Amino acid sequence: MVHIAIVSASIRKGRKSHRIALFFKDFLTKNHLATAGILDLLEYNFPLFDERLKFQEFPSPAVLDFAEKIKSADGVIIVTPEYNGGYPASLKNVVDLLYEEWHHKPVAISTVSDGPFGGTQCITSLQFSLWKMKARIVTATFPVTRVHETFDENGDPKEKSHAEKRAGNFIQELLATIEIKNHIP
Ligand SMILES: Cc1cc2nc3c(=O)[nH]c(=O)nc-3n(C[C@H](O)[C@H](O)[C@H](O)COP(=O)(O)O)c2cc1C
């Protein structure tokens, strides 16, 4: 079974997008689609980026742990809020930290907002940075609108069948990208 690393990007007090990371972890495991673990940037609490991991003389255990979890995952889901039309500094911090670890990595993106547009304005800049680092960006996306109303604190969606149908399509695209990668390494 493949393993998916879910990056939860918001480190904000009272964050809501973490609910979507919880939702995906539960969805993947209960449907036996993949094993999954959340890489919570709030828990990692990384300092502001000052150099790429490969050039760090004394990388912290947390940085090494994060890099290894991205490297060893078959695929990655990034759950990110939109902040002022972009993705948060916490996420750029770890995108830039790594390099080879992103190469050929299947990455699917879920954008999240508390408004009606699902955070979609931040997706192109994130896709572009990951594309520059040779990640295999999954074309399917999972925008979440009005996250504070549509998902509860445990990651349970209010409209379960609708959310799960959308998640199924999104995950199938990620799994297909992993499958292609595994056949053409
Ligand atoms: C600094 C900041 C900027 C934001 N900018 C946007 C925005 O441009 N578009 C949007 O739809 N929501 C915006 N939001 C609201 C977020 O969508 C909202 O906080 C949502 O819950 C997801 O972020 P969170 O996981 O940090 O809670 C912004 C929130 C913050 C804190």
Side-chain angles (χ1 to χ4, degrees), residues 31-71:
N31 291 302
H32 309 289
L33 294 166
T35 57
I38 295 177
L39 307 188
D40 184 353
L41 298 188
L42 176 62
E43 275 180 22
Y44 276 110
N45 192 24
F46 291 126
L48 201 56
F49 172 88
D50 61 0
E51 187 46 284
R52 288 152 288 180
L53 170 59
K54 63 180 176 176
F55 296 120
Q56 288 185 22
E57 217 176 337
F58 304 108
S60 70
V63 163
L64 292 172
D65 178 78
F66 180 79
E68 177 51 34
K69 284 186 171 144
I70 293 291
K71 192 177 175 185

Side-chain angles (χ1 to χ4, degrees), residues 9-18 80-86 112-121 147-148:
S10 178
I11 60 170
R12 192 179 66 82
K13 198 173 175 189
R15 64 185 177 167
K16 302 289 187 296
S17 57
H18 190 66
T80 182
E82 177 184 325
Y83 290 166
N84 299 314
V112 182
S113 83
D114 60 5
F117 302 115
T120 49
Q121 283 187 312
V147 61
H148 55 298

Side-chain angles (χ1 to χ4, degrees), residues 83-98:
Y83 290 166
N84 299 314
Y87 60 95
S90 54
L91 181 55
K92 184 74 165 125
N93 218 30
V94 296
V95 166
D96 294 338
L97 186 64
L98 307 183

